Amino acid sequence: MTKPGTASAGKSIGIAAAMLAISALLSRILGLGREVIIAGYFGAGPDVDAYRASFTLPDLLNYLIAGGALSITFVPMFLGYMSRDDERGGWRLFSTVISTMGLLFVAFTLLAEALAPQIVAWLNPGFRSESVDPQTLALAVTMTRIVLPAQLAFYVGGLIQSTLFARGVFWPAAVSPLIYNLGIILGGVFLSPWFGIQGFSIGVLIGAVLGPLCVPLWAARNRIRFQWSFAPRDPGFIEYLLLSLPLMIGVSLVTVDEWFLRYFASSDEGAIALLGYSRTLMMVLFAMLGQATGQAALPYLTRLYQEGRGQDMERLLAASAQRIGFFAVLAATALAVMAEPVIRLIYERGRFSPEDTALAASYLIPFACGLAGWSLQVVIVRGFYARKDTLTPMLIGTAVAVAAVPLYWSLFHAYGPWGLAVASSLGVTANAVLTAAFYRWHKGPLPVQPIFAGLARGIAFAIPCGIAAHYAAALPFPPTLSKFVITLLHLSAMSLAYGIVFLILAFIIRPPEFDIITARLKRRLSRP
C-alpha cells in the first residue's frame, strides 16, 4: 500500500509536470511556428544547414561548463542545505558556484569566439566538401559567434532557476522558454529582411537574455542571496565540482545525438535542415512527456531519498516511468502513422517543396520510434541524480555514445540521412534500457514489471489505433478542394479514428495509467 507521503509527492509531481508539460507544449508550438517561418523563408537549403550547425559549438560550450549540473547536481545539494536548516550555507554555495564557474564560462566564451572558424569547420567537416556551397561554412561561423554569448544567460538563469526548483517554484521554468522562442521568432521576422537568416540568431541572443535569464531573476528577486565569491577551494564548491565533473566530461547520446546528425549529414546539402525539421516534431512530444516529468520528479525523488524512504522513491520512479512509457508509445505511433500529412500541413509552403515533405516524413517515422526511449531515459536517470550519483549515468552514456559512432557511420553510408534517424532511435533506446538495468542492479529495487506493463499496454492500444488511422487516410475528399484543406481533412479523420479507437479500448480495459486523470475528474465532478 502506498504511503500518504508518496501519494502526496506523486500528486505534486503530477501538478508540476502538468505545468511544465503545458509550457513545453506552448513552447514547442512556438518552436514549430519558428520552424514554419524558417522553412517558408529558406526551405531546406544551405542557409538552414548553417543556422542549425551554428548551435553545435554553443551547445558544446554549455555542456562542458554546465553539463546539466545545475538542475541535476546543484538542486540536490542546495536542497540538502535547506533540509538541514542551513539556508546561509545554501546561498554561500550558490554565490561560489555562480562566481567561480561564471568567470570560467566568460573565459571559454571569449576563446570560442576567437577560434570559431576552426572549431565550426571541425564540427561540420562536410561543409568543406565540393558538394556544399562554400558560403555555408562562413555563414555558420558568423551565426555561431552571435549565439555563443546566449549560453552565459542560460547558465546564470539556470542556476537561479535551480534555487527555485529546490523550493518547489516551477512557473519561471514554464515561462522562460516561451519568451525565448518568441524572441527568436520576432528576431527572425523583423530582422531577416536586413540580416537574412542571421536575424533568427540575433533573436536567439535577445530571447535568451529576456527569458531564461530575466524571468528567474525577477522571480527570485526577494529570495536570492548573492555575494561575489570566487572561491575554487571552498569545500561546498569542490563537492559540487566533483559531482558535476562526470556530467561535464562524460558524453550522453541524449546530448550528442543531434551533434552526430549534423556531423555526418553536413556533406549532404539540405540533410541537416530536413533531419532537424522532422526531429523537432518528435521532440515536441518528448518535451511534453519525458522532459517535463523528469524536471518535476527530481526534487521529490531527492526528498524521499534524503528522508530514508528508499522504497517509496523506487515506487514513485517506477510509476512515473510506467505512465511515460504508456503514453510515449501511443504518441509515437500516432506521429509515425500521420508523418506525411503532419509534415505537409506544418511545413509545406514557400520554399519548402513536396519533395522536401516526402523526405522529412520518411525521417520522422524512425525518429518517432525512439520517443519511448527518449522519455524513459530522462525519467529513470533521475533516480541516480536523486542519490547524488552522476558518475554511473556518465559512464553508461559515454559507453553508449562511443559504441553508437560506428552505428551512425554505417547506417548513414548505407541509407543516407534516413539511416541517421534510425541510428538515433536505436542508440537512445539502448541507452534507456542500460540505464534502467544498471539502476536496478546497482542502486535500488526498481520495480520493472509496472514499466514493462505500461509499455505493453501502450503497444496493445497503439496497434489498433494506428490501423484505424491508417485506413482513415484513404477517405476520399473532393479534388476541387485546396491541397491544404485536403491535408487538414485527412489529418483530422486520422486523428479522429485514432482517438475513437483509443477511447473505446480505454473504456473496456481501463488502464491504470489513467488513475491520476480519472481520480481528478471524479473529485471535480463530486464538488457541489
Side-chain angles (χ1 to χ4, degrees), residues 181-260:
N181 275 301
L182 278 173
I184 301 175
I185 292 173
L186 295 176
V189 169
F190 290 105
L191 299 178
S192 60
W194 291 275
F195 298 98
I197 199 168
Q198 295 176 57
F200 288 94
S201 298
I202 298 172
V204 169
L205 182 56
I206 295 172
V209 172
L210 294 179
L213 176 59
C214 289
V215 169
L217 185 60
W218 185 85
R221 65 193 185 283
N222 295 324
R223 304 168 184 252
I224 196 169
R225 301 290 183 269
F226 170 73
Q227 289 184 336
W228 176 261
S229 175
F230 181 79
R233 296 183 180 181
D234 180 83
F237 177 76
I238 292 174
E239 181 186 1
Y240 167 83
L241 196 60
L242 291 176
L243 289 171
S244 301
L245 275 176
L247 296 169
M248 297 175 182
I249 298 174
V251 292
S252 168
L253 194 60
V254 172
T255 302
V256 303
D257 168 66
E258 195 169 11
W259 303 350
F260 285 171

Coordinates of all heavy atoms in Angstrom, one line a residue, residues 181-260:
N181 N 11.5 31.5 -27.2 CA 11.1 31.2 -28.5 C 10.4 32.4 -29.2 O 10.6 32.6 -30.4 CB 10.1 30.0 -28.5 CG 10.8 28.7 -28.5 OD1 11.6 28.4 -29.5 ND2 10.6 27.9 -27.5
L182 N 9.7 33.2 -28.4 CA 9.1 34.5 -29.0 C 10.2 35.4 -29.5 O 10.1 36.1 -30.5 CB 8.3 35.2 -28.0 CG 6.8 34.7 -27.8 CD1 6.1 35.3 -26.7 CD2 6.0 34.9 -29.1
G183 N 11.3 35.5 -28.7 CA 12.4 36.3 -29.1 C 13.0 35.8 -30.4 O 13.4 36.7 -31.3
I184 N 13.2 34.5 -30.6 CA 13.7 34.0 -31.9 C 12.8 34.3 -33.0 O 13.2 34.8 -34.1 CB 13.9 32.5 -31.8 CG1 14.9 32.1 -30.6 CG2 14.5 32.0 -33.1 CD1 15.1 30.7 -30.4
I185 N 11.5 34.1 -32.8 CA 10.5 34.4 -33.9 C 10.5 35.8 -34.3 O 10.6 36.2 -35.5 CB 9.1 33.9 -33.5 CG1 9.1 32.4 -33.3 CG2 8.1 34.4 -34.5 CD1 7.8 31.8 -32.7
L186 N 10.4 36.7 -33.3 CA 10.3 38.1 -33.6 C 11.7 38.6 -34.2 O 11.7 39.5 -35.1 CB 10.0 38.9 -32.3 CG 8.6 38.7 -31.7 CD1 8.5 39.4 -30.4 CD2 7.5 39.0 -32.7
G187 N 12.8 38.1 -33.7 CA 14.0 38.5 -34.3 C 14.1 38.1 -35.8 O 14.6 38.8 -36.6
G188 N 13.7 36.8 -36.1 CA 13.7 36.4 -37.5 C 12.8 37.1 -38.4 O 13.1 37.5 -39.5
V189 N 11.5 37.4 -37.9 CA 10.5 38.1 -38.7 C 10.9 39.5 -39.0 O 10.9 40.0 -40.1 CB 9.2 38.0 -38.0 CG1 8.2 38.9 -38.7 CG2 8.6 36.6 -38.0
F190 N 11.4 40.2 -38.0 CA 11.7 41.6 -38.2 C 13.1 41.9 -38.7 O 13.3 43.0 -39.3 CB 11.4 42.4 -36.9 CG 10.0 42.5 -36.5 CD1 9.4 41.7 -35.5 CD2 9.1 43.3 -37.2 CE1 8.1 41.7 -35.1 CE2 7.8 43.4 -36.8 CZ 7.2 42.6 -35.8
L191 N 14.0 41.0 -38.4 CA 15.4 41.3 -38.8 C 15.9 40.6 -40.0 O 16.9 41.0 -40.6 CB 16.3 40.9 -37.6 CG 16.1 41.7 -36.3 CD1 17.1 41.2 -35.2 CD2 16.3 43.2 -36.5
S192 N 15.2 39.5 -40.4 CA 15.6 38.8 -41.6 C 15.6 39.6 -42.9 O 16.4 39.3 -43.8 CB 14.8 37.5 -41.8 OG 13.4 37.7 -41.9
P193 N 14.7 40.6 -43.1 CA 14.8 41.4 -44.3 C 16.2 42.1 -44.4 O 16.6 42.4 -45.5 CB 13.7 42.4 -44.1 CG 12.7 41.7 -43.2 CD 13.5 40.9 -42.3
W194 N 16.8 42.4 -43.3 CA 18.1 43.1 -43.3 C 19.3 42.1 -43.2 O 20.3 42.3 -43.8 CB 18.2 44.1 -42.2 CG 17.3 45.3 -42.5 CD1 17.6 46.4 -43.2 CD2 16.0 45.5 -42.0 NE1 16.5 47.3 -43.3 CE2 15.5 46.7 -42.5 CE3 15.1 44.7 -41.2 CZ2 14.2 47.2 -42.2 CZ3 13.9 45.2 -40.9 CH2 13.4 46.4 -41.4
F195 N 19.1 41.1 -42.3 CA 20.2 40.2 -42.0 C 20.1 38.8 -42.5 O 20.9 37.9 -42.2 CB 20.4 40.2 -40.5 CG 20.7 41.5 -39.8 CD1 19.7 42.2 -39.3 CD2 22.0 42.0 -39.8 CE1 20.0 43.5 -38.7 CE2 22.3 43.2 -39.2 CZ 21.3 44.0 -38.7
G196 N 19.0 38.5 -43.2 CA 18.8 37.1 -43.7 C 18.5 36.2 -42.5 O 17.9 36.6 -41.5
I197 N 19.0 35.0 -42.6 CA 18.7 34.0 -41.6 C 19.4 34.4 -40.3 O 19.1 33.9 -39.2 CB 19.0 32.6 -42.1 CG1 18.4 31.5 -41.2 CG2 20.6 32.4 -42.1 CD1 18.4 30.1 -41.7
Q198 N 20.4 35.2 -40.4 CA 21.1 35.7 -39.2 C 20.2 36.4 -38.2 O 20.4 36.5 -37.0 CB 22.3 36.6 -39.5 CG 23.4 35.9 -40.3 CD 24.4 36.9 -40.7 OE1 25.1 37.5 -39.9 NE2 24.7 37.0 -42.0
G199 N 19.0 36.9 -38.7 CA 18.1 37.6 -37.8 C 17.5 36.6 -36.8 O 17.3 37.1 -35.6
F200 N 17.4 35.3 -37.1 CA 17.0 34.4 -36.1 C 18.1 34.2 -35.0 O 17.7 34.0 -33.9 CB 16.6 33.0 -36.8 CG 15.4 33.1 -37.6 CD1 15.4 33.4 -39.0 CD2 14.2 32.8 -37.0 CE1 14.3 33.4 -39.7 CE2 13.0 32.9 -37.8 CZ 13.1 33.2 -39.1
S201 N 19.3 34.2 -35.4 CA 20.4 34.1 -34.5 C 20.4 35.3 -33.5 O 20.6 35.1 -32.3 CB 21.8 34.0 -35.2 OG 21.8 32.9 -36.0
I202 N 20.2 36.5 -34.0 CA 20.1 37.6 -33.1 C 18.9 37.5 -32.2 O 19.0 37.8 -31.0 CB 19.9 38.9 -34.0 CG1 21.2 39.1 -34.9 CG2 19.7 40.1 -33.1 CD1 21.0 40.2 -35.9
G203 N 17.8 36.9 -32.7 CA 16.7 36.6 -31.8 C 17.0 35.6 -30.7 O 16.4 35.7 -29.6
V204 N 17.8 34.7 -31.0 CA 18.3 33.7 -30.0 C 18.9 34.4 -28.8 O 18.6 34.2 -27.7 CB 19.3 32.7 -30.6 CG1 19.9 31.9 -29.5 CG2 18.5 31.8 -31.6
L205 N 19.8 35.4 -29.1 CA 20.5 36.1 -28.1 C 19.6 37.0 -27.3 O 19.6 37.0 -26.0 CB 21.6 37.0 -28.7 CG 22.5 37.8 -27.8 CD1 23.2 36.9 -26.7 CD2 23.5 38.6 -28.6
I206 N 18.7 37.7 -28.0 CA 17.7 38.5 -27.3 C 16.8 37.7 -26.4 O 16.5 38.0 -25.2 CB 16.9 39.4 -28.3 CG1 17.9 40.3 -29.0 CG2 15.8 40.1 -27.6 CD1 17.2 41.1 -30.1
G207 N 16.3 36.6 -27.0 CA 15.3 35.7 -26.3 C 16.0 35.1 -25.0 O 15.3 34.9 -24.0
A208 N 17.3 34.7 -25.1 CA 18.0 34.1 -24.0 C 18.1 35.0 -22.8 O 18.0 34.6 -21.7 CB 19.3 33.6 -24.5
V209 N 18.4 36.3 -23.1 CA 18.5 37.3 -22.1 C 17.2 37.6 -21.4 O 17.0 37.6 -20.2 CB 19.2 38.6 -22.6 CG1 19.1 39.7 -21.5 CG2 20.6 38.3 -23.1
L210 N 16.1 37.8 -22.2 CA 14.8 38.2 -21.7 C 14.1 37.0 -21.0 O 13.4 37.2 -20.0 CB 13.9 38.7 -22.8 CG 14.4 40.0 -23.5 CD1 13.4 40.4 -24.6 CD2 14.5 41.1 -22.4
G211 N 14.3 35.8 -21.5 CA 13.6 34.6 -21.0 C 14.3 33.9 -19.9 O 14.1 34.1 -18.7
P212 N 15.2 33.0 -20.3 CA 16.0 32.1 -19.3 C 16.8 32.9 -18.3 O 17.0 32.4 -17.2 CB 16.9 31.3 -20.2 CG 16.2 31.2 -21.5 CD 15.5 32.6 -21.7
L213 N 17.1 34.2 -18.5 CA 17.9 34.9 -17.5 C 17.0 35.8 -16.7 O 16.9 35.8 -15.5 CB 19.0 35.7 -18.2 CG 19.8 36.7 -17.2 CD1 20.5 35.9 -16.1 CD2 20.8 37.5 -18.0
C214 N 16.3 36.7 -17.4 CA 15.5 37.7 -16.7 C 14.3 37.2 -15.9 O 14.0 37.7 -14.8 CB 15.0 38.8 -17.6 SG 16.4 39.9 -18.2
V215 N 13.6 36.2 -16.4 CA 12.4 35.7 -15.8 C 12.8 35.0 -14.4 O 12.2 35.4 -13.4 CB 11.6 34.7 -16.7 CG1 10.6 34.0 -15.9 CG2 11.0 35.4 -17.8
P216 N 13.7 34.1 -14.3 CA 14.0 33.5 -13.0 C 14.7 34.6 -12.1 O 14.5 34.5 -10.9 CB 15.0 32.4 -13.3 CG 15.5 32.6 -14.7 CD 14.4 33.3 -15.4
L217 N 15.4 35.5 -12.6 CA 16.0 36.6 -11.8 C 14.9 37.4 -11.2 O 15.0 37.8 -10.0 CB 16.9 37.5 -12.7 CG 17.7 38.5 -12.0 CD1 18.6 37.9 -11.0 CD2 18.5 39.4 -13.0
W218 N 13.9 37.7 -11.9 CA 12.8 38.5 -11.4 C 12.0 37.7 -10.3 O 11.6 38.2 -9.3 CB 11.8 39.0 -12.5 CG 10.7 39.9 -12.0 CD1 10.8 41.2 -11.8 CD2 9.4 39.5 -11.6 NE1 9.6 41.7 -11.4 CE2 8.7 40.7 -11.2 CE3 8.7 38.3 -11.5 CZ2 7.4 40.6 -10.8 CZ3 7.4 38.3 -11.1 CH2 6.8 39.4 -10.7
A219 N 11.8 36.4 -10.6 CA 11.0 35.5 -9.7 C 11.8 35.4 -8.4 O 11.1 35.2 -7.3 CB 10.8 34.2 -10.3
A220 N 13.1 35.4 -8.4 CA 13.9 35.1 -7.2 C 14.4 36.4 -6.6 O 15.2 36.4 -5.7 CB 15.1 34.2 -7.5
R221 N 13.9 37.6 -7.0 CA 14.4 38.9 -6.6 C 14.4 39.1 -5.1 O 15.2 39.7 -4.5 CB 13.7 40.0 -7.3 CG 12.2 40.1 -7.0 CD 11.5 41.1 -7.9 NE 10.1 41.3 -7.5 CZ 9.1 40.4 -7.7 NH1 9.4 39.2 -8.2 NH2 7.9 40.7 -7.3
N222 N 13.3 38.5 -4.4 CA 13.2 38.7 -3.0 C 13.7 37.5 -2.2 O 13.7 37.6 -1.0 CB 11.7 38.9 -2.6 CG 11.1 40.2 -3.2 OD1 11.8 41.2 -3.3 ND2 9.9 40.2 -3.6
R223 N 14.2 36.5 -2.9 CA 14.7 35.3 -2.2 C 16.2 35.2 -2.4 O 16.9 34.6 -1.5 CB 14.0 34.1 -2.8 CG 12.5 34.1 -2.8 CD 12.0 32.9 -3.7 NE 10.5 33.0 -3.8 CZ 9.7 32.1 -3.2 NH1 10.3 31.1 -2.5 NH2 8.4 32.2 -3.3
I224 N 16.8 35.7 -3.4 CA 18.2 35.4 -3.8 C 19.1 36.1 -2.8 O 18.8 37.3 -2.4 CB 18.4 35.8 -5.2 CG1 19.7 35.2 -5.7 CG2 18.4 37.3 -5.4 CD1 19.9 35.4 -7.2
R225 N 20.1 35.4 -2.4 CA 21.1 36.0 -1.5 C 22.5 35.8 -2.2 O 23.2 34.8 -2.0 CB 21.1 35.3 -0.1 CG 19.8 35.4 0.6 CD 19.5 36.8 1.0 NE 18.2 36.9 1.8 CZ 17.0 37.1 1.2 NH1 17.0 37.4 -0.1 NH2 15.9 37.2 1.9
F226 N 22.9 36.7 -2.9 CA 24.2 36.6 -3.7 C 25.3 37.6 -3.2 O 25.0 38.8 -3.0 CB 23.9 36.8 -5.2 CG 25.2 36.9 -6.0 CD1 26.0 35.8 -6.2 CD2 25.7 38.1 -6.5 CE1 27.1 35.8 -7.0 CE2 26.8 38.2 -7.2 CZ 27.6 37.1 -7.5
Q227 N 26.5 37.1 -3.0 CA 27.6 37.9 -2.8 C 28.8 37.3 -3.6 O 29.0 36.1 -3.7 CB 28.0 37.8 -1.3 CG 27.1 38.6 -0.4 CD 27.6 38.6 1.1 OE1 28.3 37.7 1.5 NE2 27.2 39.6 1.8
W228 N 29.5 38.2 -4.3 CA 30.6 37.7 -5.1 C 31.6 36.9 -4.3 O 32.0 37.3 -3.3 CB 31.3 38.9 -5.8 CG 32.5 38.5 -6.6 CD1 33.8 38.5 -6.2 CD2 32.5 37.9 -7.9 NE1 34.6 38.0 -7.2 CE2 33.8 37.6 -8.3 CE3 31.5 37.6 -8.8 CZ2 34.2 37.0 -9.5 CZ3 31.8 37.1 -10.1 CH2 33.2 36.8 -10.4
S229 N 31.9 35.7 -4.8 CA 32.7 34.8 -4.0 C 33.5 33.9 -5.0 O 33.0 32.8 -5.3 CB 31.9 34.0 -3.0 OG 32.7 33.0 -2.4
F230 N 34.6 34.3 -5.4 CA 35.5 33.5 -6.2 C 36.3 32.6 -5.3 O 37.3 33.1 -4.8 CB 36.4 34.3 -7.1 CG 37.3 33.5 -8.0 CD1 36.8 32.9 -9.2 CD2 38.6 33.3 -7.7 CE1 37.6 32.1 -10.0 CE2 39.5 32.5 -8.5 CZ 39.0 32.0 -9.6
A231 N 35.8 31.4 -5.0 CA 36.5 30.6 -4.0 C 36.5 29.1 -4.5 O 35.7 28.3 -4.1 CB 35.7 30.6 -2.7
P232 N 37.5 28.8 -5.4 CA 37.5 27.5 -6.0 C 37.9 26.4 -5.0 O 37.8 25.2 -5.3 CB 38.6 27.6 -7.1 CG 39.4 28.9 -6.7 CD 38.4 29.8 -6.1
R233 N 38.4 26.8 -3.8 CA 38.8 25.8 -2.8 C 37.8 25.7 -1.7 O 38.0 24.9 -0.8 CB 40.1 26.3 -2.1 CG 41.3 26.3 -3.1 CD 42.6 26.6 -2.4 NE 43.7 26.7 -3.3 CZ 45.0 26.9 -2.9 NH1 45.3 27.2 -1.7 NH2 46.0 26.9 -3.8
D234 N 36.6 26.3 -1.9 CA 35.5 26.2 -0.9 C 35.1 24.7 -0.9 O 34.9 24.1 -2.0 CB 34.4 27.1 -1.3 CG 33.2 27.0 -0.3 OD1 33.2 27.6 0.7 OD2 32.3 26.2 -0.7
P235 N 34.9 24.1 0.3 CA 34.5 22.7 0.3 C 33.2 22.4 -0.4 O 33.1 21.4 -1.1 CB 34.4 22.4 1.8 CG 35.2 23.4 2.5 CD 35.2 24.6 1.6
G236 N 32.2 23.3 -0.3 CA 31.0 23.1 -1.0 C 31.1 23.1 -2.5 O 30.5 22.3 -3.2
F237 N 32.0 24.0 -3.0 CA 32.2 24.1 -4.4 C 33.0 22.9 -4.9 O 32.7 22.4 -6.0 CB 33.0 25.4 -4.7 CG 33.4 25.6 -6.2 CD1 32.4 25.9 -7.1 CD2 34.6 25.3 -6.6 CE1 32.7 26.0 -8.4 CE2 35.0 25.4 -7.9 CZ 34.0 25.8 -8.9
I238 N 33.9 22.4 -4.1 CA 34.7 21.2 -4.5 C 33.7 20.0 -4.6 O 33.8 19.2 -5.6 CB 35.8 21.0 -3.5 CG1 36.9 22.1 -3.6 CG2 36.4 19.6 -3.8 CD1 38.0 22.0 -2.6
E239 N 32.8 19.9 -3.7 CA 31.8 18.8 -3.7 C 31.0 19.0 -5.0 O 30.7 18.0 -5.7 CB 30.9 18.8 -2.5 CG 29.9 17.7 -2.5 CD 28.9 17.8 -1.4 OE1 29.0 18.7 -0.6 OE2 28.0 16.9 -1.3
Y240 N 30.5 20.2 -5.3 CA 29.7 20.5 -6.5 C 30.5 20.1 -7.7 O 30.0 19.5 -8.7 CB 29.3 21.9 -6.5 CG 28.8 22.4 -7.9 CD1 27.4 22.2 -8.2 CD2 29.6 23.0 -8.8 CE1 26.9 22.6 -9.4 CE2 29.1 23.4 -10.0 CZ 27.8 23.2 -10.3 OH 27.3 23.6 -11.5
L241 N 31.8 20.5 -7.8 CA 32.6 20.2 -8.9 C 32.8 18.7 -9.1 O 32.8 18.2 -10.3 CB 34.0 20.9 -8.8 CG 34.8 21.1 -10.0 CD1 34.1 21.9 -11.1 CD2 36.1 21.7 -9.7
L242 N 33.1 18.0 -8.0 CA 33.3 16.6 -8.2 C 32.1 15.8 -8.6 O 32.2 14.9 -9.4 CB 33.8 16.0 -6.8 CG 35.2 16.4 -6.3 CD1 35.4 15.9 -4.9 CD2 36.2 15.9 -7.3
L243 N 30.9 16.3 -8.2 CA 29.6 15.7 -8.6 C 29.3 16.1 -10.1 O 28.7 15.3 -10.8 CB 28.5 16.1 -7.7 CG 28.5 15.5 -6.3 CD1 27.4 16.2 -5.5 CD2 28.2 14.0 -6.4
S244 N 29.8 17.3 -10.5 CA 29.4 17.8 -11.8 C 30.4 17.3 -12.9 O 30.0 17.2 -14.0 CB 29.4 19.3 -11.8 OG 28.5 19.8 -10.9
L245 N 31.6 17.0 -12.5 CA 32.6 16.6 -13.5 C 32.2 15.4 -14.4 O 32.4 15.5 -15.6 CB 34.0 16.3 -12.8 CG 34.9 17.4 -12.5 CD1 36.1 17.0 -11.7 CD2 35.3 18.2 -13.8
P246 N 31.6 14.4 -13.8 CA 31.1 13.3 -14.7 C 30.1 13.8 -15.8 O 30.2 13.4 -16.9 CB 30.4 12.3 -13.8 CG 31.1 12.6 -12.5 CD 31.4 14.0 -12.4
L247 N 29.3 14.8 -15.4 CA 28.4 15.4 -16.4 C 29.1 16.3 -17.4 O 28.6 16.4 -18.5 CB 27.3 16.1 -15.6 CG 26.4 15.3 -14.7 CD1 25.6 16.3 -13.8 CD2 25.5 14.4 -15.5
M248 N 30.1 16.9 -17.0 CA 30.8 17.8 -17.9 C 31.8 17.1 -18.8 O 31.9 17.4 -20.0 CB 31.7 18.8 -17.0 CG 30.8 19.7 -16.1 SD 31.9 20.8 -15.1 CE 30.7 21.7 -14.1
I249 N 32.4 16.0 -18.3 CA 33.4 15.3 -19.0 C 32.8 14.2 -19.9 O 33.1 14.0 -21.0 CB 34.5 14.7 -18.1 CG1 35.2 15.8 -17.4 CG2 35.5 13.9 -18.9 CD1 36.2 15.3 -16.3
G250 N 31.9 13.5 -19.3 CA 31.2 12.4 -20.0 C 30.3 12.9 -21.1 O 29.9 14.1 -21.1
V251 N 30.0 12.0 -22.0 CA 29.0 12.4 -23.0 C 27.9 11.4 -23.0 O 28.0 10.2 -22.7 CB 29.7 12.4 -24.4 CG1 30.7 13.5 -24.6 CG2 30.3 11.0 -24.7
S252 N 26.7 11.9 -23.2 CA 25.5 11.1 -23.3 C 24.9 11.2 -24.7 O 24.9 12.3 -25.3 CB 24.5 11.5 -22.2 OG 23.2 10.9 -22.5
L253 N 24.4 10.1 -25.2 CA 23.8 10.1 -26.5 C 22.6 11.0 -26.6 O 22.3 11.6 -27.6 CB 23.4 8.7 -26.9 CG 23.1 8.5 -28.4 CD1 24.3 8.8 -29.3 CD2 22.7 7.1 -28.7
V254 N 21.9 11.2 -25.4 CA 20.8 12.1 -25.4 C 21.3 13.5 -25.8 O 20.6 14.3 -26.4 CB 20.2 12.1 -24.0 CG1 19.2 13.2 -23.8 CG2 19.6 10.7 -23.7
T255 N 22.5 13.9 -25.4 CA 23.1 15.2 -25.7 C 23.7 15.2 -27.0 O 23.5 16.2 -27.8 CB 24.1 15.5 -24.6 OG1 23.5 15.5 -23.3 CG2 24.7 16.9 -24.8
V256 N 24.5 14.3 -27.4 CA 25.4 14.3 -28.6 C 24.6 13.8 -29.8 O 25.2 13.9 -30.9 CB 26.7 13.6 -28.4 CG1 27.5 14.2 -27.2 CG2 26.5 12.1 -28.3
D257 N 23.5 13.3 -29.7 CA 22.7 12.7 -30.8 C 22.6 13.8 -32.0 O 22.9 13.5 -33.1 CB 21.3 12.3 -30.4 CG 20.4 12.0 -31.6 OD1 20.7 11.0 -32.3 OD2 19.4 12.7 -31.8
E258 N 22.2 15.0 -31.6 CA 22.0 16.0 -32.6 C 23.3 16.4 -33.2 O 23.4 16.8 -34.4 CB 21.3 17.2 -32.0 CG 20.7 18.1 -33.1 CD 19.8 19.2 -32.6 OE1 19.7 19.3 -31.3 OE2 19.1 19.8 -33.4
W259 N 24.4 16.4 -32.4 CA 25.7 16.7 -32.9 C 26.1 15.7 -33.9 O 26.7 16.0 -35.0 CB 26.7 16.8 -31.8 CG 26.4 17.7 -30.7 CD1 25.4 18.7 -30.7 CD2 27.0 17.9 -29.4 NE1 25.4 19.4 -29.5 CE2 26.4 18.9 -28.7 CE3 28.1 17.2 -28.8 CZ2 26.8 19.3 -27.4 CZ3 28.5 17.6 -27.6 CH2 27.8 18.6 -26.9
F260 N 25.9 14.4 -33.7 CA 26.2 13.3 -34.6 C 25.4 13.5 -35.9 O 26.0 13.3 -37.0 CB 25.9 12.0 -34.0 CG 26.8 11.5 -33.0 CD1 26.5 10.3 -32.2 CD2 28.0 12.1 -32.7 CE1 27.4 9.9 -31.2 CE2 28.9 11.7 -31.7 CZ 28.6 10.6 -31.0

